[in-house]
Amino acid sequence: MYSTLLERVEHIRAVKTVSIEPVYELPNGRLVGRWASEPGPEDRDVWVAVPVNISGPKCRWRLSGGGTTAEVDDVLEVADLTRIETAPAVRIPGSLTGNLRLGTPAGLLVQRLADAAARRGLPLWVPNVTTEALRFALRLPGAVWVDGPAVPR
């Protein structure tokens, strides 16, 4: 019985696919990367991000592709941006974007983070965007990376 169960688990692992979702840059709509919940196949043309360190509401993401690797941290305050030295971007936690629209606390925070990131020349990655959040993100200064249900596959 045990060997049968073990064989079934191994079979499930073998056929399991990793969903890889696109990340686009606004306002130009250029595909800049993809993200996945766990490591999968690399893409030669763009990076693939996977979470490598989850600490409370924040996460560190490893971006790999085209022979390079970098890390991007989730940020929750402008002061977090001053501690970032060599990252290619900064990211807000996905849990923050559920109520992302003009005038909400999340919207005000993301606006401040976008202003600070643009001053530093860093893209701001806004995950899990809905249609309303996408409209909001299109108004943000600087380069903005987006993924989520409102982003074309």
Side-chain angles (χ1 to χ4, degrees):
M1 173 96 169
Y2 180 76
S3 65
T4 305
L5 178 60
L6 186 58
E7 289 170 4
R8 291 175 92 184
V9 168
E10 290 303 318
H11 174 72
I12 290 169
R13 283 186 184 154
V15 298
K16 180 181 171 188
T17 60
V18 175
S19 176
I20 300 176
E21 303 295 329
V23 179
Y24 290 97
E25 184 174 79
L26 299 178
N28 61 25
R30 178 177 63 96
L31 178 69
V32 292
R34 300 181 187 283
W35 73 269
S37 58
E38 58 186 66
E42 270 198 26
D43 190 319
R44 292 184 309 205
D45 299 324
V46 296
W47 48 258
V48 176
V50 294
V52 292
N53 185 11
I54 299 172
S55 174
K58 295 182 181 181
C59 184
R60 172 168 287 157
W61 294 78
R62 180 163 297 132
L63 283 58
S64 302
T68 62
T69 301
E71 291 187 346
V72 170
D73 289 327
D74 284 352
V75 295
L76 283 170
E77 55 186 282
V78 173
D80 288 341
L81 274 80
T82 62
R83 293 186 279 276
I84 295 172
E85 302 275 329
T86 60
V90 292
R91 183 182 182 276
I92 62 169
S95 59
L96 190 65
T97 61
N99 193 27
L100 187 58
R101 55 185 164 270
L102 196 60
T104 64
L108 295 170
L109 175 60
V110 170
Q111 179 68 52
R112 290 188 62 199
L113 291 170
D115 290 339
R119 281 193 302 274
R120 294 196 57 159
L122 293 171
L124 179 67
W125 183 357
V126 182
N128 304 328
V129 294
T130 60
T131 302
E132 194 163 353
L134 183 58
R135 284 189 208 109
F136 175 81
L138 282 164
R139 298 179 184 179
L140 295 173
V144 178
W145 295 352
V146 294
D147 69 65
V151 173
R153 299 283 177 250

